[in-house]
Amino acid sequence: MRVLVTGSAGFIGSHVVEALREQGHEPVGYDVREDPGADVRDPAAVRRALAGVDAVCHQAAMVGLGNGVADAAEYVSRNDLGTAVLLAAMAGAGVRRLVLAGSMVVYGEGRYACPRHGVVRPGPRAVADLDAGRFEPLCPRCGADLSPGLVGEDAPADPRNVYATTKLAQEHLAAAWARTTGGTAVSLRYHNVYGPRMPRDTPYAGVASFFRSALARGEAPRVFEDGRQRRDFVHVRDVAAANVAALRAAGPPQGALTAYNTGSGEPHTVGEMAVALAAAYGGPEPVVTGEYRLGDVRHITADSARLRAELGWRPRVGFAEGVREFARAGLRGE
């Protein structure tokens, strides 16, 4: 299969290219880092890149929580306009298979259960609570403590920052394209991806990159809130393998978009990641700061059973092994 990989020089995209090649496919790279003319928002350039292509693996995106709404226009341009241009070109070129780099951020907060009211969806956290160190969301009906659980693909979307909103819009655009063209679209909703070639410490990097960058500077990783936020850290090679599985799968229906959570299935706290990474690197122990980012959520962990059952994928890199490797691996400068 000849596969156009947008964002092919990026953190995840570069691993997808390698995984495709290892499985006997022909990846076609498309990335502004390697070619300034390879902008996914350029219709003519995208049309040229699609020549002879069987499928598209769309990784190109502006990622991370960013700077509130100050960079909203840039997020929408890169993520949503770029996706719209790509899909229009695919429709014209007759390319009918798409795998989209989705994200767990479309859910907002994760799944919570109240002892009295069952599964509930807490609203956005209040500044006053965060300033006072009250980080855990409470039951919106009775104010009781909640138990976090695994979120499934059928949970309602509730994006809580600009980046999350653009990732949900990408899915809606892909679904519209699939209905119009009869194409097959898969969104892999990545959880917290980490591993070699992760971008260096920027406002758009993931938390594991922030910790690794601090250690490289000889500084202690700074853990926000109380460090007990639950996340699903999934290794980048496992994410790349999920992309290959989605491209070759016969299961996803034509004319629709199918979403798959893509996570390890083993929740860890942010504090656990910081401690494990510092120990593996041999650097200073983490410092819990109590700081917070307003657009962030407390707990979000995946139920990836659908991906395992329908596409035959399973993660192969365990948390301890992956963290040890990441501690030794270089970061990609941006």
Side-chain angles (χ1 to χ4, degrees), residues 83 87 98 100 169-179 185-186 256-257:
T83 298
L87 293 171
L98 171 71
L100 172 68
Q170 283 185 309
E171 289 194 355
H172 288 316
L173 288 166
W177 166 84
R179 286 192 296 270
V186 168
L257 178 138

Side-chain angles (χ1 to χ4, degrees), residues 50-70:
L50 286 169
V53 162
D54 303 303
V56 172
C57 189
H58 184 31
Q59 305 293 318
M62 185 174 179
V63 301
L65 187 57
N67 296 306
V69 297

Side-chain angles (χ1 to χ4, degrees), residues 5 7-10 13-14 17 28-39:
V5 182
S8 56
S14 64
V17 167
V28 178
Y30 189 86
D31 197 302
V32 291
R33 295 177 183 87
E34 296 182 333
D35 178 1
D39 192 325

Side-chain angles (χ1 to χ4, degrees), residues 4 6 30 39-56 58 80-98 173-174 176-178 180-181:
L4 179 67
T6 69
Y30 189 86
D39 192 325
V40 77
R41 295 168 293 184
D42 183 335
V46 173
R47 285 195 297 270
R48 289 193 296 270
L50 286 169
V53 162
D54 303 303
V56 172
H58 184 31
D80 298 338
L81 175 60
T83 298
V85 169
L86 174 65
L87 293 171
M90 290 174 63
V95 180
R96 297 293 182 262
R97 196 165 192 87
L98 171 71
L173 288 166
W177 166 84
T180 301
T181 64

Side-chain angles (χ1 to χ4, degrees), residues 4-248:
L4 179 67
V5 182
T6 69
S8 56
F11 168 42
I12 298 175
S14 64
H15 286 275
V16 171
V17 167
E18 290 179 357
L20 285 167
R21 191 173 289 124
E22 288 170 0
Q23 294 298 314
H25 301 291
E26 181 185 356
V28 178
Y30 189 86
D31 197 302
V32 291
R33 295 177 183 87
E34 296 182 333
D35 178 1
D39 192 325
V40 77
R41 295 168 293 184
D42 183 335
V46 173
R47 285 195 297 270
R48 289 193 296 270
L50 286 169
V53 162
D54 303 303
V56 172
C57 189
H58 184 31
Q59 305 293 318
M62 185 174 179
V63 301
L65 187 57
N67 296 306
V69 297
D71 42 16
E74 189 71 8
Y75 270 109
V76 171
S77 176
R78 291 180 180 272
N79 295 355
D80 298 338
L81 175 60
T83 298
V85 169
L86 174 65
L87 293 171
M90 290 174 63
V95 180
R96 297 293 182 262
R97 196 165 192 87
L98 171 71
V99 175
L100 172 68
S103 175
M104 54 82 180
V105 295
V106 301
Y107 298 118
E109 285 285 355
R111 185 181 188 275
Y112 293 88
C114 170
R116 289 183 58 193
H117 298 107
V119 176
V120 295
R121 291 189 63 79
R125 296 185 293 172
V127 171
D129 287 335
L130 296 171
D131 284 342
R134 296 188 293 267
F135 302 121
E136 294 287 349
L138 301 176
C139 176
R141 298 176 62 182
C142 69
D145 292 338
L146 299 175
S147 299
L150 301 181
V151 62
E153 291 90 349
D154 296 329
D158 185 17
R160 298 195 176 183
N161 56 60
V162 169
Y163 169 61
T165 302
T166 64
K167 296 307 289 184
L168 182 59
Q170 283 185 309
E171 289 194 355
H172 288 316
L173 288 166
W177 166 84
R179 286 192 296 270
T180 301
T181 64
T184 297
V186 168
S187 177
L188 296 175
R189 291 176 175 170
Y190 302 159
H191 280 248
N192 287 66
V193 187
Y194 74 100
R197 297 175 220 152
M198 201 169 189
R200 198 171 293 278
D201 191 1
T202 76
Y204 309 97
V207 66
S209 175
F210 282 110
F211 296 158
R212 176 65 176 74
S213 296
L215 290 165
R217 296 191 301 267
E219 300 172 2
R222 295 175 61 83
V223 180
F224 280 16
E225 301 186 20
D226 58 4
R228 297 175 184 170
Q229 312 94 295
R230 288 160 53 95
R231 295 292 187 268
D232 187 321
F233 295 99
V234 58
H235 196 275
V236 66
R237 286 198 299 276
D238 286 332
V239 168
N243 277 271
V244 176
L247 282 165
R248 70 185 180 208

